Amino acid sequence: MAAVANPIVGSQVWVVDSDVAWIDGEVLEVKGDEIKVLCTSGKLVVVKVSNVYLKDTEAPACGVDDMTKLAYLHEPGVLDNLRSRYDINEIYTYTGSILIAVNPFIRLPHLYDSNMMAQYKGAGFGELSPHPFAVADAAYRLMINEGVSQSILVSGESGAGKTESTKLLMQYLAYMGGRATVGEGRTVEQKVLESNPVLEAFGNAKTVRNNNSSRFGKFVEIQFDQKGRISGAAIRTYLLERSRVCQLSDLERNYHCFYMLCAAPPEDVQKFKLGNPRTFHYLNQSNCFELEGLDESKEYHDTRRAMDVVGISSEEQEAIFRVVAAILHLGNIEFTKGMEMDSSMPKDEKSRFHLQTAAELFMCDAKALEDSLCERIIVTRDETITKCLDPEAAALSRDALAKTVYTRLFDWLVDKINNSIGQDPESKSLIGVLDIYGFESFKTNSFEQFCINLTNEKLQQHFNQHVFKMEQEEYKKEEIDWSYIEFVDNQDILDLIEKKPGGIIALLDEACMFPRSTHETFSQKLYQTFKNHSRFSKPKLARSDFTICHYAGDVTYQTELFLDKNKDYVVAEHQHLLYASKCPFVSGLFLPSPEVSSKQSKFSSIGTRFKQQLISLLETLSATEPHYIRCVKPNNLLKPGIFENKNVLQQLRCGGVMEAIRISCAGYPTRKAFVEFVDRFGLLAPKALDGRSDEVTACKRILEEVELKGYQIGKTKVFLRAGQMAELDTRRSELLGKSASVIQRKVRSYLACRSFVLLRLSARQIQAACRGHLARHAYEGLRQEASSLIIQQYIRMYIARKTYTELFSSAVSIQTGMRGMAARCNLHFRKQARAAIVIQSHCRKYLAQHHFRILKKAVITTQSLWRGKVARQELKKLKMAARETGALQAAKNKLEKQVEDLTLRLQLEKRMRVDMEVLKSQETQRLQSALQEMQLQFKETKELLQREREAAKREAERVPVIQEVPVVDNALVENLTSENEKLKTLVTLLEKRIDETEKKYEEASKISEERLKQALDAETKITQLKTAMQRLEEKFSDIESENQVLRQQTLVNSSLKTMSRNRSLSENLENGHHSTEEQKAVETVTPVKKFGTESDSKRRSYIERQHENVDTLVNCVIKSTSFHHGKPVAAFTIYKCLLHWKSFEAERTSVFDRLIQMIGSAIENQEDNDLMAYWLLNTSALLFLLQQSLKSGGAIDATPARKPPNPTSLFGRMTMGFRSSPSSSNLTGLSLDFVRKVEAKYPALLFKQQLTAYVEKIYGILRDNLKKELASLLSLCIQAPRTSKGVLKSGRSFAKDSPMGHWLSIIESLNTLLCTLKENFVPPVLIQKIFTQAFSYINVQLFNSLLLRRDCCTFSNGEYVKAGLAELEMWCVQAKEEYAGSSWDELKHIRQAVGFLVIHQKYRISYDEIINDLCPVMSVQQLYRICALYWDDNYNTRSVSPDVLSSMRVLMTEDSNNAQSDSFLLDDNSSIPFSVDDLSTSLQEKDFSEMKPSDELLENPAFQFLNE
């Protein structure tokens, strides 16, 4: 990092500040090596030139997403860039391939949902905004493409967000490499993700800096198979902080599991004899017991659930928490002096209670536990000595046991999780995620900080090597010389700590092996050994502390507890006690090791073991390709919106970011693309921009012009040494200053010249106005004189004209009066003559009418007299005839005959009613007995009908024949008179009886109709039962199905024959007394079913013909792809054939399966849009015809109640046949209509559903084909082609195609598909939906790219996209609303976003204007991101004002606290946006009545019905 060379007045620089680390200001004065700077805070400082750094004034206000793009790569530039991005909630930033993540301390759910993962899937590294998903995707792609294992190292101090970043990485890797769940188990990735809550519960705790700090290091190895799927995983842990179990600092907490267990359900708390955490010694050493917003009870249940997922059984969970509770009870055991010297014993009953409880939980003997804590057994060669421990030593023994048990428990959990997850021995590649603690430097630094910082030193060395390697690869790729670049290593610090012999760890192990060693003797040994080491020093006024100069700064360590914490031996008494436990789980934790003697304790060094783990970890990392994520905590308050510069800068140094920058500055820290370099420094050498040279030549000529040395020209970039960028900017500032002076001089000259020209123009205008005024005055006098003459002329003319007019009017009036008087006299004479003629005509008319009336009256009188005479004669004859008694006797006989006839009818109806009751009972029994007894019931019904017919015949034969009795003409008149009276009385009685009989007959008719309805209902239920049972038999063979169809047709024919036979039989009854209505009534009483039999050969031939016809139809439909007046011939032909074959009414048929198979095979080539469009039309048209024709078999027509529904069973059809008219005209008349309603059976309804699915599938194929074609073009349309400002386009490297070429390609794709759809006559509603969803896809892709890529949120890019959208709008206009529909409205998001980008004065726009007028459809997150990412590459215009940004930030904070906060990215809707009703409405206009089938089918005799 080089300082500014030769700063000039007006330069913007960074200076050191005690409060904010670095502050910017303006150079006011330069005096030799000192400069005077006015800071932005208002403070005036004088600093040396070597202590300031130049500020890039052209850097975007919202920062850059990759800090290697910074013009000045130094501490203040990096810090300012991170702060600028943090202010706009851009928490991720790249430094080359390193991702820096600043903890926002606020929920940002929109950054981590599935939509965001889909955006980063397959995207190039650096193409989208920085994100952990991008790092994970880059690692995954490298592993898949190159077969090299990868590792992702996540580091940072406590509270920086390491654990959350690790979870995000795991989540994305599970998203990319997840496999489907097998059976009821969980997948590997699910178990890995669910292992986090378990490890956090037992390995995380609250520290001063973080509420959920990981107190161990974790390396997760995720194994992948050859297909890139997760096949196994392993979790390795490092250096669990054992001392936290027994020792706590204030404001910190112990491990979470202890507090969870205390908040467990009451039954668990009672079982383990727990209580409030404040009552336990291991928890009450700190005043912090609860965390804000954390429900310990809920966390307990979540941990138990996570244990279930990772494979820990309920018995093992019970044992785990039993051990945790035992540790808490161990901590409450206090000791006091015993009876013997230097002995100890439990202090009181409370301590003995906890001792007894701990023994019960460990399932061991309480006395043995007490002895193991208060005594030590020393084994010598000759004897075994029991040594008592004083209370202090006993307490240390207690704590050692607690730490050992907890460590063994944690190790068991890790092993159990690994065993549950499982590892893939055949895996060739893996991705490791390292979640490791960052560099730590506190006021008090003990052995844990020493090990943590050793880990960071080792990782920093690995990191430096990787950064240096990346620099070398960059230089090699650009083909520049890099051999002289020096690599600075930290191997000397590592040798100081871990070298054998003589390192700090070796000396610590040596001190731990000597019983009399103390921390003071250990410190003195360190002072003597490393007194001349440059990295080691002794602090002043310290007796046992030492300081190491780490890469991140000096750290002073206190050695008081170094020896105790380094010892890792297990007390033999503790080992024997817990190994003998009756609990298998506890016993399994303390299995004897072959390396440890059963009778003595063996020393083991934690430092040495940890060093070996580090070596193993580094070997694993060295075998992988590393990726780095550095987590940064912006403030120690753990609150959002606060960015502490000093704190962040220290973390950047500890995280190695500054070290990476230092390595980069050792080479070429400034790297500019040729176009950017020419744009920025082209004005230093105007001759280089002559338009005849390319970019590389222009850059070389510029650098030669300024006489710069030490730079290098790569293949795509200019590489500048440290300080050279500042020198170029200084020269550029000087040139711009001189240019500004020239411009000011020219502007002043121009203003003065313009002022003189305006003054002269004003004088001329005043003179012209004066001359004009005098001329107008003279002209006004001349005009008045001329006006006077004209007025006099017109007045004289008016007087003369008036005199003439009055004379003319008088003459005309006199003439008019004379002529009117003559005319009136003539008119009076004519009226008198006309009146006389009228009077004469009326008089003649009256005389003629009077004569006619007299003559008419005489004629009528004559006719009346003659007719009266004739009538009297006829009356006389009638009276004579009335006296005859024979007529009365005939009337009597007739009435008696009618009475008997009615009586017979009544009896017949009663018998019919009885028969109907019998039939009803039989039908009910048949419904209960199912189909097995159908044949027997049919025979019984047939016999019953035969008996009824014979009974009807017998009744007809029994009708008496009434003989006529002749009347004796010579009877006495008196007898005849009396007999006539009797007959009249009898007739009256008979008439009354007839009326009563008719009433009874009507009642009986009503009852019989009701019984008939009940019988029909029973028959309908039988039909429904049959239909349900037949659906269960769908898997029967096609031969049985065709036999059933043949049987049904034969039975229909037999029923028609039976109808005609019954009709002829009824007509031949004796005497013919039964009327047609009576015949119908008899026939309707009980239906008859006759079964026809066909031979097997005929049946097989019929089936074969049916299959041949279906094959012919399928072959013709596949070959012929013709249309008839824009309507599909194939769909019409299929529908006609199905209608003729009565396939819709068949219970079983294979025709529909064949058709579905044909459609499926026809659309196998999904890339052929022409073929897809053809079948989309056919399937939609056929679906429309089915929609118009089919109706469910259970539907009942809304006809009068006397008309029963159409039955579906064979028995019901025969019943309807007997009930209907004998003629079969109704059967043949149905086929005359093209589209008619038919009762659909299950196969037909299933075919309709399958056809609907194919319509949706083909529609989706066409839509997705268009999206695939547009996807490759949209990635090129979101960003305008870049051109240099200085170099003319005529240069050979700038000769590019038209900028709108990609948009025109999109238009061409849309036109191609539209023409294809039109040529295949696809319904307009489907075309509208396809293009509407395509435009919605365009809107989603362009808008999401705009939000994720900062280089797209520019003014020039907005103009470019706006021009492309204008092309799309023109296409919508040309395509018309019939096909485009509402496609243009789908682009509302990108239209409003682009419209906002091209506004010049954004800083004047208020927030209300943005959300109400400019961008009403965009959310706050979307608006904020666009406003924050915006930068103007053409006119350097500013974005919105800071007040608007702060308002948006407040609203975003409120939304983030809402659980329903959505992602700022748009979702692509891939649903089916239409229904069958919409399709039917669109096709309703098509007339299918005049369709012409294929000629090939018309020539086939089996398809002659198509001609009808």
Side-chain angles (χ1 to χ4, degrees), residues 1051-1061 1217 1222-1224 1227:
L1051 292 175
V1052 172
N1053 295 332
S1054 65
S1055 64
L1056 295 178
K1057 293 179 182 179
T1058 306
M1059 288 166 55
S1060 61
R1061 191 183 304 114
S1223 64
S1224 60
L1227 297 177

Side-chain angles (χ1 to χ4, degrees), residues 8 11 18 210 392 409 486 490 964 1305 1319 1340 1348 1385 1436 1450:
I8 63 174
S11 299
S18 58
N210 185 12
E392 184 178 354
L409 175 63
E486 180 184 0
N490 61 341
E964 296 183 359
S1305 299
E1319 290 172 358
V1340 170
L1348 293 175
D1385 296 335
N1436 293 326
V1450 170

Side-chain angles (χ1 to χ4, degrees), residues 241-516:
E241 189 179 0
R242 295 160 38 115
S243 60
R244 181 170 291 270
V245 178
C246 306
Q247 298 174 359
L248 289 179
S249 301
D250 196 17
L251 300 181
E252 293 191 354
R253 294 207 321 170
N254 213 319
Y255 291 106
H256 295 323
C257 61
F258 295 113
Y259 304 92
M260 291 180 187
L261 188 57
C262 291
E267 56 271 15
D268 291 346
V269 173
Q270 185 177 3
K271 183 193 333 180
F272 299 134
K273 299 181 181 179
L274 299 175
N276 194 293
R278 292 175 173 82
T279 61
F280 293 99
H281 172 66
Y282 285 163
L283 304 182
N284 60 17
Q285 299 176 37
S286 169
N287 292 323
C288 180
F289 298 96
E290 298 175 353
L291 295 180
E292 183 179 357
L294 183 66
D295 186 357
E296 300 289 357
S297 177
K298 180 177 179 300
E299 293 295 325
Y300 174 78
H301 290 290
D302 293 344
T303 303
R304 295 291 292 259
R305 187 162 48 251
M307 287 181 172
D308 293 334
V309 173
V310 299
I312 301 177
S313 64
S314 58
E315 293 80 8
E316 292 172 336
Q317 295 179 28
E318 186 78 12
I320 289 171
F321 288 105
R322 177 186 293 272
V323 171
V324 173
I327 293 174
L328 289 178
H329 286 289
L330 274 179
N332 281 10
I333 302 175
E334 298 180 2
F335 298 96
T336 184
K337 290 184 180 181
M339 303 299 295
E340 300 178 5
M341 183 178 298
D342 294 334
S343 65
S344 60
M345 59 181 291
K347 183 178 180 180
D348 49 20
E349 291 299 326
K350 179 180 178 182
S351 297
R352 291 192 177 276
F353 167 77
H354 288 289
L355 176 67
Q356 182 67 31
T357 304
E360 293 175 357
L361 294 174
F362 281 134
M363 291 188 179
C364 63
D365 183 63
K367 179 59 177 176
L369 177 59
E370 180 182 352
D371 293 341
S372 67
L373 297 178
C374 299
E375 296 177 355
R376 283 290 176 271
I377 299 176
I378 303 175
V379 180
T380 64
R381 292 182 180 181
D382 301 329
E383 59 180 346
T384 302
I385 303 174
T386 302
K387 178 185 176 182
C388 295
L389 302 179
D390 57 17
E392 184 178 354
L396 292 176
S397 177
R398 176 201 64 192
D399 293 342
L401 177 59
K403 291 188 288 185
T404 301
V405 171
Y406 194 83
T407 304
R408 296 285 182 93
L409 175 63
F410 187 79
D411 293 340
W412 183 91
L413 282 173
V414 174
D415 293 339
K416 183 65 177 180
I417 291 172
N418 288 333
N419 294 333
S420 175
I421 295 174
Q423 301 186 31
D424 184 10
E426 299 179 358
S427 176
K428 301 298 182 181
S429 54
L430 60 87
I431 295 180
V433 180
L434 178 64
D435 178 6
I436 201 71
Y437 15 63
F439 191 88
E440 292 186 353
S441 177
F442 305 135
K443 292 182 179 180
T444 301
N445 300 288
S446 186
F447 181 72
E448 291 82 10
Q449 282 70 42
F450 179 76
C451 293
I452 288 173
N453 293 341
L454 170 61
T455 303
N456 283 272
E457 285 287 355
K458 297 284 284 187
L459 294 177
Q460 184 63 30
Q461 184 185 41
H462 183 268
F463 175 71
N464 291 345
Q465 292 173 354
H466 172 70
V467 172
F468 190 72
K469 178 183 175 183
M470 297 299 294
E471 289 289 313
Q472 291 177 346
E473 290 179 356
E474 176 73 11
Y475 297 154
K476 286 181 180 179
K477 185 175 69 173
E478 294 291 335
E479 298 179 356
I480 66 173
D481 182 21
W482 54 273
S483 58
Y484 63 90
I485 299 176
E486 180 184 0
F487 174 67
V488 180
D489 198 1
N490 61 341
Q491 185 62 41
D492 54 346
I493 302 179
L494 298 176
D495 292 340
L496 170 67
I497 297 174
E498 61 180 3
K499 186 178 180 181
K500 277 189 175 184
I504 295 178
I505 293 179
L507 295 177
L508 179 61
D509 291 345
E510 181 181 349
C512 290
M513 296 178 68
F514 292 98
R516 296 184 179 181

Side-chain angles (χ1 to χ4, degrees), residues 748-811:
R748 293 190 184 100
S749 300
Y750 168 74
L751 293 177
C753 181
R754 189 177 67 175
S755 177
F756 171 73
V757 171
L758 290 176
L759 184 61
R760 185 176 60 182
L761 181 61
S762 301
R764 291 178 178 176
Q765 289 177 350
I766 292 172
Q767 293 175 356
C770 292
R771 295 190 184 101
H773 176 72
L774 294 176
R776 284 191 294 274
H777 183 71
Y779 171 74
E780 185 67 24
L782 295 176
R783 193 176 64 172
Q784 288 180 358
E785 182 178 355
S787 299
S788 300
L789 295 176
I790 293 173
I791 291 171
Q792 293 175 2
Q793 177 184 352
Y794 274 96
I795 289 176
R796 294 189 185 100
M797 181 179 68
Y798 170 74
I799 294 173
R801 181 181 295 171
K802 182 178 179 182
T803 302
Y804 169 75
T805 301
E806 291 176 352
L807 182 61
F808 177 79
S809 298
S810 300

Side-chain angles (χ1 to χ4, degrees), residues 1438-1466:
R1438 291 180 293 167
S1439 183
V1440 296
S1441 63
D1443 294 337
V1444 174
L1445 281 176
S1446 61
S1447 301
M1448 293 182 181
R1449 195 177 299 115
V1450 170
L1451 292 176
M1452 287 176 59
T1453 304
E1454 296 175 356
D1455 292 343
S1456 64
N1457 295 329
N1458 184 7
Q1460 300 178 351
S1461 178
D1462 296 328
S1463 170
F1464 62 78
L1465 298 180
L1466 299 180

Side-chain angles (χ1 to χ4, degrees), residues 125 233 270 292 461 616 650 660 831 952 1066 1078 1257 1285 1387:
F125 188 81
Q270 185 177 3
E292 183 179 357
Q461 184 185 41
S616 175
Q650 178 63 24
K831 287 183 178 180
S1066 63
E1078 293 170 351
K1257 179 180 179 181
K1285 298 179 182 178
L1387 301 177

